[in-house]
Coordinates of all heavy atoms in Angstrom, one line a residue:
M1 N 45.9 152.7 -152.6 CA 45.5 151.7 -153.5 C 43.9 151.5 -153.4 O 43.4 151.3 -152.3 CB 46.2 150.4 -153.1 CG 45.8 149.2 -154.0 SD 46.7 147.8 -153.5 CE 46.4 146.7 -154.8
Q2 N 43.3 151.5 -154.5 CA 41.8 151.4 -154.5 C 41.5 149.9 -154.8 O 42.0 149.3 -155.7 CB 41.2 152.2 -155.6 CG 40.3 153.3 -155.1 CD 39.7 154.1 -156.3 OE1 40.1 154.0 -157.4 NE2 38.7 154.8 -156.0
L3 N 40.6 149.4 -153.9 CA 40.1 148.0 -154.1 C 39.0 148.0 -155.1 O 38.2 148.9 -155.2 CB 39.6 147.4 -152.8 CG 40.7 147.3 -151.7 CD1 40.1 146.8 -150.4 CD2 41.8 146.3 -152.2
P4 N 38.9 146.9 -156.0 CA 37.8 146.9 -156.9 C 36.4 146.7 -156.2 O 36.4 146.0 -155.1 CB 38.1 145.6 -157.8 CG 39.0 144.8 -157.0 CD 39.8 145.8 -156.1
I5 N 35.4 147.3 -156.7 CA 34.1 147.1 -156.1 C 33.3 146.0 -156.8 O 33.3 146.0 -158.0 CB 33.3 148.4 -156.3 CG1 34.0 149.6 -155.6 CG2 31.8 148.3 -155.8 CD1 33.4 150.9 -155.8
T6 N 32.8 145.1 -156.0 CA 32.1 144.0 -156.6 C 30.6 144.3 -156.7 O 30.0 145.0 -155.9 CB 32.2 142.7 -155.8 OG1 31.7 143.0 -154.4 CG2 33.6 142.2 -155.7
I7 N 30.0 143.9 -157.9 CA 28.6 144.2 -158.2 C 27.9 142.9 -158.4 O 28.5 142.0 -159.1 CB 28.5 145.1 -159.4 CG1 29.2 146.4 -159.1 CG2 27.1 145.4 -159.8 CD1 29.3 147.3 -160.3
D8 N 26.7 142.8 -157.9 CA 25.9 141.6 -158.2 C 25.7 141.5 -159.7 O 25.5 142.5 -160.4 CB 24.5 141.8 -157.5 CG 23.6 140.7 -157.7 OD1 24.0 139.6 -158.1 OD2 22.3 140.9 -157.6
C9 N 25.8 140.3 -160.2 CA 25.7 140.0 -161.7 C 24.4 140.5 -162.3 O 24.4 141.0 -163.4 CB 26.0 138.5 -162.0 SG 27.6 138.0 -161.7
A10 N 23.3 140.3 -161.5 CA 22.0 140.7 -162.0 C 21.9 142.2 -162.2 O 21.3 142.7 -163.1 CB 20.9 140.1 -161.1
I11 N 22.5 142.9 -161.2 CA 22.5 144.4 -161.3 C 23.4 144.8 -162.5 O 23.0 145.7 -163.2 CB 23.1 144.9 -160.0 CG1 22.3 144.5 -158.8 CG2 23.3 146.4 -160.1 CD1 21.3 145.4 -158.3
L12 N 24.5 144.2 -162.7 CA 25.4 144.5 -163.8 C 24.7 144.3 -165.1 O 24.7 145.1 -166.0 CB 26.7 143.8 -163.7 CG 27.8 144.1 -164.7 CD1 28.2 145.6 -164.6 CD2 29.0 143.3 -164.5
R13 N 24.0 143.2 -165.3 CA 23.3 142.9 -166.5 C 22.2 143.9 -166.8 O 22.0 144.3 -167.9 CB 22.7 141.4 -166.5 CG 23.8 140.4 -166.8 CD 23.1 139.0 -167.1 NE 22.3 138.6 -165.9 CZ 22.8 137.8 -164.9 NH1 24.1 137.5 -164.9 NH2 22.0 137.4 -164.0
A14 N 21.5 144.2 -165.7 CA 20.4 145.2 -165.8 C 21.0 146.6 -166.3 O 20.4 147.3 -167.2 CB 19.7 145.4 -164.5
A15 N 22.1 147.0 -165.7 CA 22.8 148.2 -166.1 C 23.2 148.2 -167.5 O 23.0 149.2 -168.3 CB 24.0 148.5 -165.2
Q16 N 23.8 147.1 -168.0 CA 24.2 146.9 -169.4 C 23.0 147.0 -170.3 O 23.1 147.7 -171.3 CB 24.9 145.6 -169.6 CG 26.3 145.6 -169.0 CD 26.9 144.2 -169.0 OE1 26.2 143.2 -168.9 NE2 28.2 144.1 -169.1
R17 N 21.9 146.4 -169.9 CA 20.7 146.4 -170.8 C 20.1 147.9 -170.9 O 19.8 148.4 -171.9 CB 19.6 145.5 -170.2 CG 18.3 145.5 -171.0 CD 17.2 144.7 -170.3 NE 17.1 144.9 -168.8 CZ 16.5 145.9 -168.3 NH1 15.9 146.9 -169.0 NH2 16.4 146.0 -167.0
I18 N 20.1 148.6 -169.8 CA 19.6 149.9 -169.7 C 20.5 150.9 -170.6 O 20.0 151.7 -171.4 CB 19.5 150.5 -168.3 CG1 18.3 149.7 -167.6 CG2 19.2 152.0 -168.3 CD1 18.4 149.8 -166.1
Y19 N 21.8 150.7 -170.4 CA 22.7 151.5 -171.2 C 22.7 151.2 -172.7 O 22.7 152.1 -173.5 CB 24.1 151.3 -170.7 CG 25.1 152.2 -171.3 CD1 25.1 153.6 -171.2 CD2 26.2 151.7 -172.1 CE1 26.0 154.4 -171.8 CE2 27.1 152.5 -172.7 CZ 27.0 153.8 -172.5 OH 28.0 154.7 -173.1
R20 N 22.5 149.9 -173.0 CA 22.4 149.5 -174.4 C 21.2 150.1 -175.1 O 21.2 150.6 -176.2 CB 22.4 148.0 -174.5 CG 22.4 147.5 -176.0 CD 22.4 146.0 -176.1 NE 21.3 145.4 -175.3 CZ 21.5 144.6 -174.3 NH1 22.7 144.2 -173.8 NH2 20.5 144.1 -173.6
D21 N 20.1 150.0 -174.3 CA 18.8 150.6 -174.8 C 19.0 152.1 -175.1 O 18.5 152.7 -176.1 CB 17.7 150.4 -173.9 CG 17.2 148.9 -173.9 OD1 17.7 148.1 -174.8 OD2 16.5 148.5 -172.9
Y22 N 19.6 152.8 -174.1 CA 19.9 154.2 -174.3 C 20.7 154.5 -175.5 O 20.4 155.4 -176.3 CB 20.6 154.8 -173.0 CG 21.1 156.2 -173.2 CD1 20.3 157.3 -173.1 CD2 22.5 156.4 -173.4 CE1 20.7 158.6 -173.3 CE2 22.9 157.7 -173.5 CZ 22.1 158.8 -173.5 OH 22.6 160.1 -173.6
C23 N 21.7 153.7 -175.8 CA 22.6 153.9 -176.9 C 21.9 153.7 -178.2 O 22.1 154.4 -179.2 CB 23.9 153.1 -176.8 SG 25.0 153.6 -175.6
V24 N 21.0 152.7 -178.2 CA 20.3 152.3 -179.4 C 19.2 153.3 -179.8 O 19.0 153.7 -180.9 CB 19.6 150.9 -179.3 CG1 18.6 150.6 -180.4 CG2 20.7 149.8 -179.3
F25 N 18.4 153.8 -178.8 CA 17.3 154.7 -179.0 C 17.8 156.2 -179.1 O 17.0 157.0 -179.5 CB 16.3 154.5 -177.9 CG 15.5 153.2 -178.1 CD1 15.7 152.2 -177.1 CD2 14.8 152.9 -179.2 CE1 15.0 151.0 -177.2 CE2 14.1 151.7 -179.3 CZ 14.2 150.8 -178.3
H26 N 19.0 156.5 -178.6 CA 19.5 157.9 -178.7 C 20.9 157.9 -179.2 O 21.8 158.3 -178.6 CB 19.5 158.5 -177.3 CG 18.2 158.5 -176.6 ND1 17.2 159.3 -176.9 CD2 17.7 157.7 -175.6 CE1 16.1 159.1 -176.2 NE2 16.4 158.1 -175.4
P27 N 21.1 157.4 -180.5 CA 22.4 157.3 -181.1 C 23.1 158.6 -181.3 O 24.3 158.7 -181.3 CB 22.2 156.6 -182.4 CG 20.8 156.9 -182.8 CD 20.0 157.1 -181.5
K28 N 22.4 159.7 -181.4 CA 23.0 161.0 -181.7 C 23.3 161.9 -180.5 O 23.8 162.9 -180.6 CB 22.2 161.8 -182.7 CG 22.1 161.0 -184.0 CD 21.4 161.8 -185.1 CE 21.4 160.9 -186.3 NZ 21.3 161.6 -187.5
H29 N 23.0 161.3 -179.3 CA 23.3 162.1 -178.1 C 24.7 162.0 -177.8 O 25.4 161.0 -177.8 CB 22.5 161.4 -176.9 CG 21.1 161.9 -176.7 ND1 20.6 162.4 -175.6 CD2 20.1 161.9 -177.6 CE1 19.4 162.8 -175.8 NE2 19.0 162.5 -177.0
N30 N 25.3 163.2 -177.6 CA 26.7 163.3 -177.3 C 27.0 163.2 -175.8 O 28.1 163.0 -175.4 CB 27.3 164.6 -177.8 CG 27.3 164.6 -179.3 OD1 27.4 163.6 -180.0 ND2 27.2 165.8 -179.9
K31 N 25.9 163.4 -175.0 CA 26.1 163.4 -173.6 C 26.2 162.0 -173.0 O 25.3 161.2 -173.2 CB 24.9 164.1 -172.9 CG 25.1 164.5 -171.5 CD 24.0 165.4 -171.1 CE 24.3 165.9 -169.7 NZ 23.2 166.8 -169.2
R32 N 27.3 161.7 -172.4 CA 27.6 160.3 -171.9 C 27.2 160.3 -170.4 O 27.6 161.1 -169.6 CB 29.1 160.0 -172.0 CG 29.4 158.6 -171.5 CD 30.9 158.4 -171.8 NE 31.4 157.2 -171.3 CZ 32.0 157.0 -170.2 NH1 32.2 158.0 -169.4 NH2 32.3 155.8 -169.8
P33 N 26.3 159.3 -170.1 CA 25.9 159.2 -168.7 C 27.1 158.8 -167.8 O 28.0 158.1 -168.2 CB 24.8 158.2 -168.6 CG 25.0 157.4 -169.9 CD 25.7 158.3 -170.9
Y34 N 27.1 159.3 -166.5 CA 28.1 159.0 -165.6 C 27.9 157.6 -165.0 O 28.8 156.9 -164.7 CB 28.1 160.0 -164.4 CG 29.2 159.8 -163.5 CD1 30.5 160.2 -163.8 CD2 28.9 159.3 -162.2 CE1 31.5 160.0 -162.9 CE2 30.0 159.1 -161.3 CZ 31.3 159.5 -161.7 OH 32.3 159.3 -160.8
G35 N 26.6 157.1 -165.0 CA 26.3 155.8 -164.5 C 24.8 155.6 -164.5 O 24.0 156.3 -165.0
I36 N 24.4 154.5 -163.8 CA 23.0 154.2 -163.7 C 22.7 153.8 -162.2 O 23.4 153.1 -161.6 CB 22.7 153.0 -164.6 CG1 22.9 153.3 -166.0 CG2 21.3 152.5 -164.4 CD1 22.7 152.2 -167.0
A37 N 21.6 154.4 -161.7 CA 21.1 154.0 -160.4 C 20.1 152.9 -160.6 O 19.1 153.1 -161.4 CB 20.5 155.2 -159.7
I38 N 20.2 151.8 -160.0 CA 19.4 150.6 -160.2 C 18.7 150.2 -158.9 O 19.4 150.0 -157.9 CB 20.1 149.4 -160.8 CG1 20.7 149.9 -162.1 CG2 19.3 148.2 -160.9 CD1 21.3 148.8 -162.9
D39 N 17.4 150.0 -158.9 CA 16.7 149.4 -157.8 C 17.1 147.9 -157.7 O 17.0 147.2 -158.7 CB 15.2 149.5 -158.0 CG 14.4 149.0 -156.8 OD1 14.2 147.8 -156.7 OD2 14.0 149.9 -156.0
R40 N 17.6 147.5 -156.5 CA 18.1 146.1 -156.4 C 17.0 145.1 -156.5 O 17.3 143.9 -156.8 CB 18.8 146.0 -155.0 CG 20.1 146.8 -155.0 CD 20.9 146.5 -153.8 NE 20.4 147.0 -152.6 CZ 20.8 148.2 -152.1 NH1 21.6 149.0 -152.8 NH2 20.2 148.7 -151.0
Q41 N 15.7 145.4 -156.2 CA 14.7 144.4 -156.3 C 14.0 144.3 -157.7 O 13.9 143.3 -158.3 CB 13.6 144.7 -155.3 CG 14.1 144.5 -153.8 CD 13.1 143.9 -153.0 OE1 12.0 144.5 -152.9 NE2 13.4 142.8 -152.3
S42 N 13.6 145.5 -158.2 CA 12.9 145.5 -159.5 C 13.9 145.5 -160.7 O 13.4 145.2 -161.8 CB 12.0 146.7 -159.6 OG 12.8 147.9 -159.7
K43 N 15.1 145.8 -160.5 CA 16.2 145.9 -161.5 C 15.8 147.0 -162.6 O 16.3 147.0 -163.7 CB 16.4 144.6 -162.3 CG 16.7 143.4 -161.4 CD 18.0 143.6 -160.6 CE 18.4 142.4 -159.8 NZ 17.7 142.2 -158.6
R44 N 15.0 147.9 -162.2 CA 14.7 149.1 -163.0 C 15.7 150.2 -162.7 O 16.2 150.3 -161.6 CB 13.3 149.6 -162.8 CG 12.3 148.6 -163.2 CD 10.9 149.1 -163.0 NE 10.6 150.2 -163.9 CZ 9.6 151.0 -163.9 NH1 8.7 150.8 -163.0 NH2 9.4 152.0 -164.7
G45 N 16.1 150.9 -163.7 CA 17.2 151.9 -163.5 C 16.9 153.3 -164.1 O 16.1 153.4 -165.0
Q46 N 17.8 154.2 -163.7 CA 17.7 155.6 -164.2 C 19.1 156.0 -164.5 O 20.0 155.9 -163.7 CB 17.1 156.5 -163.1 CG 17.0 157.9 -163.5 CD 15.9 158.1 -164.5 OE1 14.9 157.5 -164.5 NE2 16.2 159.0 -165.4
L47 N 19.3 156.5 -165.7 CA 20.6 157.1 -166.1 C 20.9 158.3 -165.3 O 20.1 159.1 -165.0 CB 20.6 157.5 -167.6 CG 20.4 156.3 -168.6 CD1 20.0 156.9 -170.0 CD2 21.7 155.6 -168.7
I48 N 22.2 158.4 -164.9 CA 22.7 159.5 -164.1 C 23.7 160.3 -164.9 O 24.6 159.7 -165.4 CB 23.3 159.0 -162.8 CG1 22.4 158.1 -162.0 CG2 23.8 160.1 -161.9 CD1 21.1 158.8 -161.4
F49 N 23.5 161.6 -165.0 CA 24.3 162.4 -165.8 C 25.2 163.4 -164.9 O 25.8 164.3 -165.4 CB 23.5 163.2 -166.8 CG 23.0 162.4 -167.9 CD1 21.7 161.9 -167.8 CD2 23.7 162.1 -169.0 CE1 21.2 161.1 -168.8 CE2 23.2 161.3 -170.0 CZ 21.9 160.8 -169.9
R50 N 25.2 163.2 -163.6 CA 26.0 164.0 -162.8 C 26.9 163.2 -161.9 O 26.6 162.0 -161.7 CB 25.2 165.0 -161.9 CG 24.2 164.3 -161.1 CD 23.3 165.3 -160.4 NE 23.3 165.0 -159.0 CZ 22.7 165.7 -158.1 NH1 22.1 166.8 -158.4 NH2 22.7 165.3 -156.8
E51 N 28.0 163.8 -161.5 CA 29.1 163.0 -160.8 C 28.7 162.4 -159.4 O 29.2 161.4 -159.1 CB 30.3 163.9 -160.8 CG 31.6 163.0 -160.5 CD 32.8 163.8 -160.8 OE1 32.8 164.6 -161.7 OE2 33.7 163.7 -160.0
N52 N 28.0 163.1 -158.6 CA 27.7 162.7 -157.3 C 26.2 162.4 -157.1 O 25.5 163.2 -156.6 CB 28.2 163.7 -156.3 CG 29.6 163.9 -156.3 OD1 30.4 162.9 -156.3 ND2 30.1 165.2 -156.3
P53 N 25.7 161.2 -157.5 CA 24.3 161.0 -157.5 C 23.8 160.7 -156.1 O 24.6 160.3 -155.2 CB 24.2 159.7 -158.3 CG 25.5 159.0 -158.2 CD 26.5 160.1 -158.1
V54 N 22.6 161.0 -155.8 CA 21.9 160.7 -154.6 C 21.1 159.5 -154.8 O 20.2 159.5 -155.7 CB 21.0 161.9 -154.1 CG1 20.3 161.6 -152.8 CG2 21.9 163.2 -153.9
L55 N 21.3 158.4 -154.0 CA 20.6 157.2 -154.2 C 19.6 157.0 -153.1 O 19.7 157.4 -152.0 CB 21.6 156.0 -154.1 CG 22.7 156.0 -155.2 CD1 23.7 154.8 -154.9 CD2 22.2 156.0 -156.6
L56 N 18.5 156.3 -153.5 CA 17.5 156.0 -152.6 C 17.9 154.7 -151.8 O 18.8 154.0 -152.3 CB 16.2 155.7 -153.3 CG 15.6 156.9 -154.0 CD1 14.4 156.5 -154.8 CD2 15.2 158.0 -153.0
P57 N 17.3 154.4 -150.7 CA 17.8 153.3 -149.8 C 17.9 151.9 -150.6 O 18.8 151.1 -150.3 CB 16.8 153.2 -148.7 CG 16.3 154.6 -148.6 CD 16.3 155.2 -150.0
G58 N 17.1 151.6 -151.5 CA 17.1 150.3 -152.2 C 17.9 150.3 -153.5 O 17.8 149.4 -154.3
E59 N 18.7 151.4 -153.8 CA 19.4 151.5 -155.1 C 20.9 151.2 -155.0 O 21.5 151.4 -153.9 CB 19.2 152.9 -155.6 CG 17.8 153.2 -156.1 CD 17.6 154.6 -156.6 OE1 18.4 155.5 -156.2 OE2 16.8 154.7 -157.5
S60 N 21.4 150.8 -156.1 CA 22.8 150.6 -156.2 C 23.2 151.5 -157.4 O 22.5 151.7 -158.3 CB 23.2 149.2 -156.6 OG 23.0 148.3 -155.5
F61 N 24.5 151.9 -157.4 CA 25.0 152.8 -158.5 C 26.1 152.0 -159.2 O 27.0 151.4 -158.6 CB 25.6 154.1 -158.0 CG 26.2 154.9 -159.0 CD1 25.3 155.7 -159.8 CD2 27.5 155.0 -159.3 CE1 25.8 156.5 -160.8 CE2 28.1 155.8 -160.3 CZ 27.2 156.5 -161.1
V62 N 25.9 152.0 -160.6 CA 26.9 151.3 -161.4 C 27.4 152.4 -162.4 O 26.7 152.9 -163.2 CB 26.3 150.1 -162.2 CG1 27.3 149.4 -163.1 CG2 25.6 149.2 -161.3
S63 N 28.7 152.6 -162.4 CA 29.3 153.6 -163.3 C 29.4 153.0 -164.7 O 29.6 151.8 -164.8 CB 30.6 154.2 -162.8 OG 31.7 153.4 -163.3
T64 N 29.4 153.9 -165.7 CA 29.5 153.4 -167.0 C 30.9 152.8 -167.3 O 31.0 151.9 -168.2 CB 29.3 154.5 -168.1 OG1 30.1 155.6 -167.7 CG2 27.9 155.0 -168.1
N65 N 31.9 153.1 -166.6 CA 33.2 152.5 -166.7 C 33.2 151.0 -166.4 O 34.0 150.2 -166.8 CB 34.3 153.2 -165.9 CG 34.5 154.6 -166.3 OD1 34.3 154.9 -167.5 ND2 34.9 155.4 -165.4
Q66 N 32.2 150.6 -165.5 CA 32.2 149.2 -165.1 C 31.5 148.3 -166.1 O 31.6 147.1 -166.0 CB 31.4 149.2 -163.7 CG 32.2 149.8 -162.6 CD 31.5 149.9 -161.3 OE1 30.4 150.5 -161.3 NE2 32.0 149.2 -160.3
F67 N 30.7 148.8 -167.0 CA 30.0 147.9 -167.9 C 29.9 148.4 -169.3 O 29.4 147.7 -170.2 CB 28.5 147.8 -167.4 CG 27.8 149.1 -167.5 CD1 27.2 149.6 -168.7 CD2 27.6 149.8 -166.3 CE1 26.5 150.8 -168.7 CE2 26.9 151.0 -166.4 CZ 26.4 151.5 -167.5
E68 N 30.6 149.5 -169.7 CA 30.4 150.0 -171.0 C 30.9 149.0 -172.1 O 32.0 148.4 -172.0 CB 31.2 151.3 -171.1 CG 30.9 152.1 -172.4 CD 31.5 153.5 -172.4 OE1 32.6 153.6 -171.9 OE2 30.8 154.4 -172.8
V69 N 30.1 148.9 -173.1 CA 30.4 148.0 -174.2 C 30.3 148.8 -175.5 O 29.5 149.8 -175.5 CB 29.5 146.8 -174.3 CG1 29.7 145.9 -173.1 CG2 28.0 147.2 -174.4
K70 N 31.0 148.5 -176.5 CA 30.9 149.2 -177.8 C 29.8 148.7 -178.6 O 29.6 147.5 -178.8 CB 32.2 149.0 -178.5 CG 32.3 149.9 -179.8 CD 33.6 149.8 -180.4 CE 33.7 150.8 -181.6 NZ 35.0 151.0 -182.1
I71 N 28.9 149.6 -179.0 CA 27.7 149.2 -179.7 C 27.8 149.8 -181.1 O 28.0 151.0 -181.3 CB 26.4 149.6 -179.1 CG1 26.3 149.0 -177.7 CG2 25.2 149.4 -179.9 CD1 25.1 149.4 -176.9
N72 N 27.7 149.0 -182.2 CA 27.8 149.5 -183.5 C 26.4 149.6 -184.1 O 25.6 148.9 -183.9 CB 28.7 148.6 -184.4 CG 30.1 148.6 -183.9 OD1 30.6 149.7 -183.5 ND2 30.8 147.5 -184.0

């Protein structure tokens, strides 16, 4: 049994914002990111397109399954 992973709300909001911006500015990209690596202090993030990301010491990883929203 897998336990749910809790994520800081500010990190989750930052990930949603970064992903929403990606979807808005790149609507024709068929490549779906696996998730986002986010710096816990600055809340800046980088889209991750591979399954096993390498994170820096101050980063958290949020998978797209945890925050994906439908954007029209």
Side-chain angles (χ1 to χ4, degrees):
M1 179 178 192
Q2 242 183 348
L3 297 175
I5 298 171
T6 58
I7 300 174
D8 180 20
C9 291
I11 300 263
L12 186 60
R13 281 193 300 271
Q16 288 172 326
R17 178 185 45 80
I18 292 165
Y19 184 65
R20 183 179 56 242
D21 290 347
Y22 170 75
C23 290
V24 168
F25 291 113
H26 303 284
K28 297 189 183 207
H29 276 234
N30 292 332
K31 195 170 190 181
R32 182 176 178 261
Y34 185 73
I36 298 176
I38 298 189
D39 183 281
R40 288 190 289 270
Q41 293 216 306
S42 69
K43 306 298 186 278
R44 294 180 69 188
Q46 180 71 36
L47 292 164
I48 303 295
F49 290 94
R50 55 188 232 174
E51 198 167 320
N52 295 316
V54 176
L55 300 176
L56 296 173
E59 291 181 330
S60 292
F61 180 76
V62 183
S63 92
T64 52
N65 295 333
Q66 293 174 299
F67 63 81
E68 192 170 43
V69 294
K70 187 171 185 172
I71 299 176
N72 292 326

